[in-house]
Structure formats: structure tokens, C-alpha cells
Amino acid sequence: MRRFGTRNGIAAVCLLCCLGGAIAQGFFQFNGAAIVAVPLFAIYLAISSRYIARVGWVLLFFSAAIAVAALAKGVETHIFIEAAGRVVFLAALLTAVAFLRIAATQDPVVAVAGEFLTLQPPTRRYASLGAGGHLFGVLLNLGGLGVMLEVIMKGLESHRHEMDDFVYQARKRRMVSACMRGFSSIAFWTPFGIALNLMILTIPGLEWAHLAPYGIALAGVLFLLGWLFDTVEWWRPPSSRGRAPALTGDLPSWAHWSAVVVAGHVLVLGVTVVALDRATEYSFQTVLITIVPIYAFLWAGLRRGIGSIGDMSRRFVTQAPGFATEMSVIASAGFIGLVALEVVPVEWIADHLGWIAVRPVLTVVLLIMTVFLTGLLGVHPMISVVLLAEVVNRVGVDGLSPLALGLALAGGWSSIICMGPAITAVVYASSIVGERPMTIGVRWNGIFGLVSILLITLIVGGGVATGLL
């Protein structure tokens, strides 16, 4: 892309207008800001159309079909206004996180942290790569997964001559799987991701501060499950040890502190957002999209001087069209999840599912399994989660709290993220690693995904049955 091309500049301005519109809507309760920003978002997609992947086009087409069906049905205007607000907010969230991603990738400490985690010995490798995939995912979302996988492949390729084919393939599978599994569990709690923000928008009464401790605990359980799988699958008798030489790299003496610094950024930013959410009258989402870009500019400015802020802005302009696939997928999913409720016979479905109203444990099981199974069929959790949450809201399940509903949907989302061959994260990883999505999703992580979904179902369902959730 041309660094200062006119198209790039227009694309960047459109995204900034979406960010400004979402902030204005949050601070002043002005719905007109979203209505004005939606055409600008459409202009952004038109300008950046060459960068939209197939999955983005499919969802955009589906969004258009849903919109036409809703218009033909005579859906009320306020539904479209609400949908516009959701689309603009999701675009704004990705724009805010894009600044955070740029600030992080400009910081050499982040690169050192990734390499340090990758070069750990086998006894600590799963823990380091799982934690790395999780931390980088929290900080950079899908871009964090890409950073970690790029570092992994770079380290493997630089030592390719030291390994035979079996060792190379085994090590690649083990390291990529650890990173993917660590990344997938961010759906449980990260305030900077799409999963939790969509659920907070959809589930009345759900708050991040209430869900996060339980989500972190469940992420820890899945981390231990992954470590157990890795230990059992890759256990080697003493006679075979030493066949795979340890990876080495030229790291600075402070490399071991780099991972602490990355974790510190996640902690400081998270605490800041939560504190301001509690101290002000504004919503969690409004505080989030306001603070994240400010923090990103402060990070860049304090780390590399005031001149880095201008460099960061130029990078945003350069990279803006490249966000088109993420923007199209996530904004389409948000739009479909809301407007489809007016087209799909939700009331009819709710009437026929009335028998679950007094069965909260069975409801939890059905929700988790539905998100998981539809994800295997290619339906992204962004769509299934919103639709299922709305159906449950309309049915009104006795004994099912917003917390339990959120954990159930997050559980299905987390388990399918590293397994579904049509899920964005798996497809993205396959392009970096050079393996088919079916290989990474089903062959490498299939058993882990199945066991994790059963474990999550047992924990969340047990919590509802005992009244703890």
C-alpha cells in the first residue's frame, strides 16, 4: 500500500469518524452520531474492498440479505438505529485496538517477549507459549496470535537444519497448538476483545467486573487441561530424549523481564478501564474505546519520544485498509445478530422452547453445545451467541443468571476458536504456519476441544445446579 495514498487517508478518516461517533454516542447518548458514521463505514469497506477475504464477503452478503428481508417485513426504524449503533461501536473497538496493536509492535520489548517465550526449554515450553498466546491475544487480539505464530515459525526455520523432518513437524505441532489453546481462552474475560463486548451488549445485567473473575478461573482450568494434554501426548522415554536439540537465540540479558512488561501493560490498561468505569457514569464500552487509543499514544510517546506519535499515526493510515476483513466480519456479525432477530421467528422458537424455562441446567448444556456444534459447521460464534442470548432472554429461564448465561456462551466460543476449521483464528493461523485449517483445528486440537467443551459444560452446569452461578 502507498504510505500516503489518498485511499489510505480516506479509509483512516472513515475509521476515526466511527471511533468518534461511538464515543459521542456513549458520552452524549446521541444516536445520530452512529447514523452519520454508518455511511462512512460503508465508504471504508468500498475503498478497502480488495483486502476483504472471502469470509468477509460472505457475511457482508448475508447482512445485505437480512437487511432486505427486514425492510420487506416492515421492521421498525429503531431496530436499524440500534443495529447502526452496534456496527459503529464494533468498528470503533477494532479501531481503538488497532492503535494498541501498532504501539505494541513498535516496542522492541514486545518482540523480545515473544522470542523469549518461544525459546523456552521443552519442560516450560507449553506454559510459556500458552501464556504468550493468551497475553498477546489479550493485548492485540487476532494480531497477537499472528505475532506469536510468526515468532514461532521464525525460530523453527532458523534451526531447521538442526532437526530431521519428524522432529520439525512434531515441534511445530506442539508449539502452534500451545499458542492456539492459550489464545482461545481470552474469550472468557478480556475486556479488549469482541466476545465479551458482544455478550455485554446482548445480555441484560451482565457486567465485565462480575464475569471476569470466573472467566479467568475457567481460562486457568483450560490452561491446566492443555498442559496435561501436552505432557501426556509428548512424553518421551529417557532413551529417546536429546533427539531434538534445544532452540537457541541471541536474547538480551533483560529478556526474562520482557514478558513481565507485556503482562504489566495488560494489567495497567485493564485496571484503568475498570476504575474509570466504576468512577464515572459512562458505560464500560464507552470508557474502553476512549481509553485504549489514549493509552496506546502514551505508550508510544513515553517509550520512544514524542516523535513516535506521528509515526504511529502514519502507520495507522498505511495499515487502515488492511483491517477490512476484521471490520467486515465483526461488524456484519453484530448487524446480523441483532436484525436477524426481527426476521427469524424468534417468538415462535421461544414458544416451542418454553419447556426450558424451568430447566436452567439443561439450558446451559444446550447453549454450550449449540455454539460449539454450529461453530464446527462454519457459523461464527459472533452470530450464534447473539441469537441464542436473545432467545433465552425472551424465554426467560428461571434460575439462569446473566453471569451463568455469559459463561455458558463464552465457554462454547472458547472451545471452538482453536478447533473449528472455518473459524477465523484457525484459518488465519493456517496461512502463517503453512498447514491446512483442518489439520490445525481437527487433527491437532480436536480431542482437546472436545474434552474442554465437556469440562466447561460440567463446571458451568454444576455451578447453576448448585446455585453458585
Side-chain angles (χ1 to χ4, degrees), residues 86-304:
R86 181 170 295 184
V87 167
V88 170
F89 167 73
L90 293 172
L93 177 62
L94 288 180
T95 302
V97 172
F99 284 109
L100 189 64
R101 185 187 305 179
I102 293 170
T105 52
Q106 281 184 304
D107 191 341
V109 173
V110 175
V112 172
E115 190 172 0
F116 172 76
L117 294 170
T118 301
L119 296 178
Q120 293 303 298
T123 53
R124 298 196 298 267
R125 187 173 295 147
Y126 184 88
S128 64
L129 290 178
H134 193 83
L135 282 175
F136 277 62
V138 169
L139 193 62
L140 305 174
N141 287 277
L142 194 61
L145 175 64
V147 169
M148 282 300 299
L149 292 177
E150 291 282 6
V151 171
I152 287 171
M153 295 308 298
K154 180 181 178 181
L156 285 173
E157 291 300 327
S158 64
H159 295 270
R160 180 69 178 86
H161 62 283
E162 302 173 12
M163 298 175 273
D164 58 35
D165 290 340
F166 174 82
V167 171
Y168 175 79
Q169 290 298 329
R171 183 168 274 172
K172 179 166 74 168
R173 173 177 177 175
R174 187 177 186 182
M175 296 172 76
V176 170
S177 295
C179 186
M180 292 288 294
R181 293 169 189 176
F183 172 79
S184 67
S185 58
I186 68 173
F188 276 117
W189 72 277
T190 175
F192 315 127
I194 296 299
L196 223 54
N197 279 285
L198 263 182
M199 286 188 284
I200 291 173
L201 288 172
T202 309
I203 302 173
L206 181 64
E207 295 185 15
W208 180 84
H210 293 160
L211 186 143
Y214 295 92
I216 292 172
L218 281 173
V221 169
L222 292 189
F223 181 85
L224 292 175
L225 176 67
W227 174 81
L228 178 63
F229 263 79
D230 180 78
T231 301
V232 172
E233 185 177 7
W234 297 104
W235 180 84
R236 295 175 298 164
S239 60
S240 67
R241 294 173 190 170
R243 179 178 178 180
L247 297 180
T248 59
D250 185 18
L251 293 174
S253 59
W254 48 266
H256 59 287
W257 289 107
S258 59
V260 177
V261 172
V262 172
H265 280 297
V266 175
L267 181 63
V268 170
L269 184 52
V271 168
T272 302
V273 172
V274 173
L276 288 175
D277 172 47
R278 294 292 185 180
T280 66
E281 60 183 296
Y282 304 111
S283 69
F284 177 83
Q285 289 91 349
T286 300
V287 173
L288 179 66
I289 61 176
T290 304
I291 293 302
V292 167
I294 293 174
Y295 185 91
F297 279 106
L298 287 174
W299 182 355
L302 294 175
R303 183 70 180 83
R304 303 178 60 213

Side-chain angles (χ1 to χ4, degrees), residues 62-97:
F62 195 26
S63 298
I66 291 291
V68 171
L71 289 171
K73 190 178 178 180
V75 172
E76 297 180 6
T77 304
H78 74 87
I79 298 297
F80 289 100
I81 294 176
E82 187 178 348
R86 181 170 295 184
V87 167
V88 170
F89 167 73
L90 293 172
L93 177 62
L94 288 180
T95 302
V97 172

Side-chain angles (χ1 to χ4, degrees), residues 331-384:
S332 296
F335 179 85
I336 293 168
L338 184 62
V339 178
L341 296 172
E342 306 301 320
V343 178
V344 176
V346 175
E347 296 295 345
W348 180 87
I349 295 173
D351 290 341
H352 285 74
L353 289 177
W355 50 272
I356 71 172
V358 292
R359 296 176 174 86
V361 177
L362 179 59
T363 302
V364 164
V365 175
L366 291 175
L367 288 173
I368 296 174
M369 291 302 174
T370 301
V371 174
F372 182 75
L373 293 175
T374 53
L376 281 179
L377 296 175
V379 179
H380 199 283
M382 284 185 291
I383 297 174
S384 60

Side-chain angles (χ1 to χ4, degrees), residues 18-53:
C18 288
L19 178 59
I23 293 174
Q25 181 174 330
F27 276 109
F28 307 111
Q29 302 300 311
F30 177 51
N31 291 331
I35 297 173
V36 171
V38 164
L40 295 174
F41 183 67
I43 292 172
Y44 166 79
L45 292 178
I47 290 175
S48 310
S49 58
R50 61 182 291 192
Y51 300 102
I52 300 178

